[in-house]
Amino acid sequence: MEQNNNFDSIYQLHYSKVYRLCKGYFNGDNDIASDATQEVFIKVWENLPKFRNDSNISTWIFRIASNTCLMYLRKASYKKTVHTNKFSEVTIETDSHETEEKLLKMYNCINQLEPSNKLIIMLVLEDLDYDKIAEIIGITEENLRVRIHRIKTKLTKCVQNGKI
């Protein structure tokens, strides 16, 4: 019974963040993001008794989510089903058309990043602390800071030129 209550609270607290992360991996495809998110929480449920509290539970969940999404990306079936960039359909409520255009360009550029860099920038956008991101990715915090700087430089150039 305790595992059920614990899982319910974990699910409620982390579902939307995991879903946004998955949605970012799959270019805004709601169906695949939803499937991947459900798979993440199945893995969380199955492995919750084994969780040793060596790290923060959110770090553990994001690690499961990133591995699950990367697994989906490796599947040939996913590569065949995604043909469009769904972020181009996103509408952002804003007073400035120019700001909206820049945000759409930014999402397009994020989708051009290699998977590990895409994960890093999406976790930064989720406001995760750098030490947690470094733990999820499996690199030092110093290395993470260097990669974030390089990713931001690439994204800035991409927004200006349209390509990474």
Side-chain angles (χ1 to χ4, degrees):
M1 183 70 174
E2 184 178 322
Q3 183 183 353
N4 279 344
N5 291 339
N6 194 20
F7 177 77
D8 289 345
S9 63
I10 290 168
Y11 182 84
Q12 293 297 321
L13 187 61
H14 297 283
Y15 179 85
S16 61
K17 290 178 183 179
V18 170
Y19 177 75
R20 283 192 305 267
L21 179 74
C22 291
K23 193 171 177 181
Y25 262 104
F26 305 115
N27 300 326
D29 188 311
N30 292 320
D31 295 334
I32 296 174
S34 182
D35 289 348
T37 302
Q38 291 304 318
E39 190 167 328
V40 168
F41 283 102
I42 289 170
K43 290 176 182 178
V44 168
W45 168 262
E46 292 173 344
N47 293 294
L48 193 56
K50 299 175 193 171
F51 180 66
R52 298 183 312 254
N53 289 317
D54 290 343
S55 65
N56 190 308
I57 191 133
S58 63
T59 303
W60 180 68
I61 291 170
F62 274 114
R63 185 78 170 178
I64 292 170
S66 64
N67 288 337
T68 301
C69 291
L70 289 172
M71 182 193 68
Y72 265 74
L73 287 173
R74 287 185 198 114
K75 288 182 180 178
S77 61
Y78 170 75
K79 292 176 184 173
K80 291 177 186 174
T81 59
V82 175
H83 302 290
T84 62
N85 180 354
K86 298 242 177 173
F87 279 125
S88 63
E89 300 169 13
V90 173
T91 56
I92 301 162
E93 292 183 29
T94 180
D95 293 334
S96 168
H97 180 69
E98 186 176 309
T99 302
E100 182 178 333
E101 261 184 45
K102 284 182 182 178
L103 286 172
L104 291 174
K105 283 182 182 178
M106 180 62 70
Y107 279 116
N108 185 34
C109 291
I110 288 171
N111 285 321
Q112 294 178 41
L113 292 171
E114 64 182 52
S116 64
N117 286 343
K118 187 175 181 180
L119 172 62
I120 289 170
I121 201 65
M122 288 174 13
L123 293 173
V124 167
L125 292 172
E126 282 292 329
D127 275 340
L128 252 64
D129 293 332
Y130 282 10
D131 60 333
K132 288 183 182 179
I133 296 172
E135 188 176 342
I136 291 167
I137 302 299
I139 59 176
T140 65
E141 195 172 334
E142 183 178 316
N143 191 346
L144 175 70
R145 290 181 187 281
V146 170
R147 286 186 64 181
I148 290 171
H149 176 73
R150 289 178 181 160
I151 292 166
K152 287 180 177 179
T153 301
K154 282 183 180 182
L155 291 174
T156 301
K157 288 179 184 175
C158 179
V159 168
Q160 294 167 353
N161 305 333
K163 285 187 178 179
I164 286 189

